[in-house]
Amino acid sequence: MPDPAGELHLEPLPDRLRRRDPPVPPDVLALVEAEHARWRTLHDRLVGLIAALLDVAADDGRPVREVVDRLLAGTRVSLDTLVDARIDPAEIAALLRAHGSTGTVTAEDGATVFRHRCGSGQRYWADHPETPTVADGEVPGVPGGRPRYCARCIATISRHGGERWRVDPPADPTGHCTWTVAAGG
């Protein structure tokens, strides 16, 4: 469903369809909701698997930073393939929606700011509060006390966006992750 010109949002498709006027036929809405729920289950299982793999490697004595670096180096579909090198906020909004993130998008001081409940690592953290976390200084750009999965995400974004795309993860699983994308990225 096309967005109105220039609209950046983090609203799931089923929610958008429910507000349509005229209403979307109930059978179409039911199909979209069922597929969205199926995707959510598959995505949550994938996040759980990635988090467990990070934990296994780190628990075997490897530094988390080394594990994350090696994981990113071996990833066949990099963020560079998914999001243009220009760091387009519309593509980032689509990426966040695809990962089940919900929240707000605002323009502030020449940047686009996404404040969202992460649909990946933060959701995993909320569902599994005992998940292992990184220590202060263990992974560059990742504050201590954040899950290892956050380290994977933040390291990926840092490599792709440099100073143009900054991530500030929440202090706990109930907060909002903030992604700031510099204008003209």
Side-chain angles (χ1 to χ4, degrees), residues 98-111:
H99 284 81
S101 295
T102 57
T104 62
V105 183
T106 57
E108 299 175 19
D109 299 323

Side-chain angles (χ1 to χ4, degrees), residues 2-184:
D3 297 325
E7 180 189 0
L8 294 178
H9 65 87
L10 299 179
E11 187 177 13
L13 182 58
D15 293 350
R16 296 190 78 206
L17 291 177
R18 279 188 211 89
R19 289 196 338 270
R20 296 285 297 189
D21 188 23
V24 172
D27 60 329
V28 172
L29 183 57
L31 178 64
V32 170
E33 287 174 333
E35 289 303 315
H36 190 265
R38 183 175 294 129
W39 168 86
R40 176 84 261 164
T41 300
L42 293 171
H43 182 262
D44 287 353
R45 288 175 67 192
L46 176 61
V47 169
L49 178 61
I50 293 168
L53 291 170
L54 285 168
D55 292 344
V56 165
D59 290 346
D60 282 347
R62 296 172 113 181
V64 174
R65 179 181 182 172
E66 176 187 305
V67 174
V68 169
D69 287 347
R70 185 156 181 208
L71 177 66
L72 295 179
T75 301
R76 300 294 179 243
V77 180
S78 70
L79 184 60
D80 298 342
T81 304
L82 301 174
V83 177
D84 192 294
R86 292 176 292 121
I87 316 296
D88 180 357
E91 288 184 2
I92 293 170
L95 179 70
L96 285 169
R97 287 191 308 268
H99 284 81
S101 295
T102 57
T104 62
V105 183
T106 57
E108 299 175 19
D109 299 323
T112 303
V113 180
F114 299 87
R115 285 185 184 83
H116 62 99
R117 299 245 339 144
C118 172
S120 297
Q122 187 177 4
R123 181 179 168 104
Y124 181 81
W125 190 15
D127 291 347
H128 306 280
E130 75 289 349
T131 191
T133 59
V134 299
D136 276 327
E138 187 174 12
V139 180
V142 183
R146 301 329 184 268
R148 292 172 178 160
Y149 192 94
C150 290
R152 179 197 147 277
C153 179
I154 293 170
T156 301
I157 290 169
S158 302
R159 285 182 179 184
H160 180 79
E163 296 299 315
R164 299 172 296 160
W165 185 355
R166 189 181 74 244
V167 176
D168 296 304
D172 61 61
T174 63
H176 285 83
C177 193
T178 303
W179 290 13
T180 305
V181 180

